[in-house]
Amino acid sequence: MKKAITILIVGIMLGSCASASSAQRDVEITPAHRAVLEYLSRDKTLIALSDPSLELRKIGERGASGASGVLVRFEQLHHGIPVVGTLLVCEVGSDGVVRIRANELRPVVDVSVIPKIEARAAVRAAAVSLGVQGRLHERQSDAELVIVPAGAIDVARVDTLGWAVTLEDVFDANRVRGTWRIVVDAMTGAVLHSDRLLPRD
């Protein structure tokens, strides 16, 4: 049961990384966003980051439920690469006061961010691991570098640079169509984790 929950969480985290990275590369700095960064920069003991403006990326902003403030959500970056499973949620009240509501940031060991395996090779490794039949169209695959923290998945005993590969509308060896998200070690090409999303017949 615990393993199933872990797999589900990792799948959700990877999905968040992928969607945030593609949609939030040029994030608008809103007043609430700016207030959070200024607050965190004034007291760096609040979070274990040396430069919040470079090590955090906004992934969402909305009105706080039952309050007049704004909730701002961030993911952690390591040299510009999203760290899987990290989250910081801050509330900016109508009075301008910033409060940290959730802090799931984590220290990252200085892992290399230069992959030895290219994105195309990672996509091929992911497809082979599923027994995907036939060639993939370009629109069916995507790969993004991520940092997988130690313990985030069973096989990640140390912080690891990986490719988060998404394969869309593919047939696996059992001829079942679906969308998959697979993590491939960016140094060795080994498949670290796979998760089937939105299965379709």
Side-chain angles (χ1 to χ4, degrees):
M1 180 68 175
K2 184 177 179 182
K3 185 173 182 180
I5 293 172
T6 300
I7 289 172
L8 176 62
I9 291 172
V10 169
I12 292 170
M13 294 185 305
L14 288 170
S16 296
C17 279
S19 60
S21 64
S22 60
Q24 301 289 343
R25 286 192 175 92
D26 298 314
V27 177
E28 177 190 0
I29 304 294
T30 63
H33 185 175
R34 184 177 295 107
V36 170
L37 292 180
E38 290 174 356
Y39 171 72
L40 296 176
S41 296
R42 282 195 300 270
D43 186 353
K44 294 180 182 177
T45 63
L46 293 169
I47 56 175
L49 301 179
S50 58
D51 189 341
S53 65
L54 294 178
E55 297 174 82
L56 291 174
R57 176 163 56 195
K58 187 175 78 170
I59 58 175
E61 183 175 321
R62 63 176 177 80
S65 178
S68 56
V70 176
L71 289 177
V72 189
R73 298 168 61 244
F74 299 87
E75 67 177 345
Q76 183 179 344
L77 303 176
H78 178 70
H79 296 295
I81 298 173
V83 181
V84 171
T86 56
L87 178 69
L88 178 71
V89 181
C90 295
E91 180 182 347
V92 182
S94 56
D95 54 2
V97 174
V98 178
R99 299 173 181 86
I100 295 176
R101 293 306 187 194
N103 182 355
E104 297 174 20
L105 306 180
R106 56 193 303 163
V108 175
V109 175
D110 194 19
V111 59
S112 172
V113 295
I114 301 174
K116 292 183 178 178
I117 304 297
E118 293 184 354
R120 286 178 297 177
V123 169
R124 283 196 300 273
V128 167
S129 74
L130 293 180
V132 171
Q133 301 181 10
R135 294 184 61 185
L136 289 171
H137 297 291
E138 187 175 337
R139 65 173 180 79
Q140 288 183 286
S141 64
D142 183 42
E144 181 203 17
L145 282 174
V146 295
I147 302 293
V148 182
I153 53 181
D154 290 345
V155 296
R157 295 183 175 86
V158 296
D159 294 343
T160 303
L161 181 67
W163 287 105
V165 177
T166 302
L167 301 179
E168 297 184 1
D169 292 332
V170 296
F171 288 105
D172 68 9
N174 296 319
R175 308 295 293 171
V176 178
R177 194 170 187 169
T179 294
W180 295 77
R181 188 156 291 122
I182 299 150
V183 182
V184 177
D185 190 313
M187 297 301 180
T188 67
V191 172
L192 302 177
H193 176 80
S194 62
D195 190 29
R196 186 177 176 206
L197 308 173
L198 304 174
R200 297 194 299 181
D201 294 332

